[in-house]
Amino acid sequence: MDIGIESADVLSDAFIDTKHLMGGAVMGADPDKSVTDLVGRVHGTTDAWVVGASVFPSGGIANPTFTALALAERTLGAIGGA
Ligand SMILES: Cc1cc2nc3c(=O)[nH]c(=O)nc-3n(C[C@H](O)[C@H](O)[C@H](O)COP(=O)(O)OP(=O)(O)OC[C@H]3O[C@@H](n4cnc5c(N)ncnc54)[C@H](O)[C@@H]3O)c2cc1C
């Protein structure tokens, strides 16, 4: 793949300080555009949950672990109330 200096600069600007894998199973309200609902339950299921950085709908602007942990705590709360 040819990625010129100009393209590399655009990528660098876009990701700033967070270059981690995430977003493989994004959460969202619309089942057509996301894998889980807003608390991490897989759309169309009653007891399949996704916990981790894969539910991030975007990359954010900082390193992801604290956000992943906060989302996990919220998902665990939802599981407890399910
Ligand atoms: C070198 C490095 C440095 C980092 N430094 C920082 C930092 O300073 N600050 C920060 O906030 N973040 C940092 N991160 C990012 C942070 O580690 C990740 O964002 C965080 O670990 C993501 O958590 P997760 O639970 O989504 O994924 P992971 O921690 O990757 O957990 C996924 C788990 O799923 C398991 N798994 C995978 N496939 C399957 C399967 N098929 N069946 C069962 N289990 C499976 C894996 O074994 C793993 O245990 C760093 C990452 C790296 C690689």
Side-chain angles (χ1 to χ4, degrees):
M1 181 174 75
D2 179 24
I3 179 165
I5 296 296
E6 189 176 319
S7 299
D9 286 347
V10 169
L11 282 175
S12 180
D13 287 348
F15 289 101
I16 306 176
D17 189 36
T18 175
K19 300 174 182 172
H20 299 297
L21 293 174
M22 57 184 78
V26 298
M27 61 169 44
D30 184 348
D32 290 333
K33 296 179 180 173
S34 55
V35 174
T36 80
D37 66 14
L38 297 175
V39 290
R41 183 186 352 236
V42 176
H43 288 298
T45 73
T46 55
D47 59 359
W49 303 83
V50 179
V51 178
S54 61
V55 299
F56 285 21
S58 69
I61 196 167
N63 289 337
T65 298
F66 284 152
T67 306
L69 291 173
L71 283 169
E73 188 170 343
R74 188 172 71 160
T75 296
L76 289 176
I79 293 172

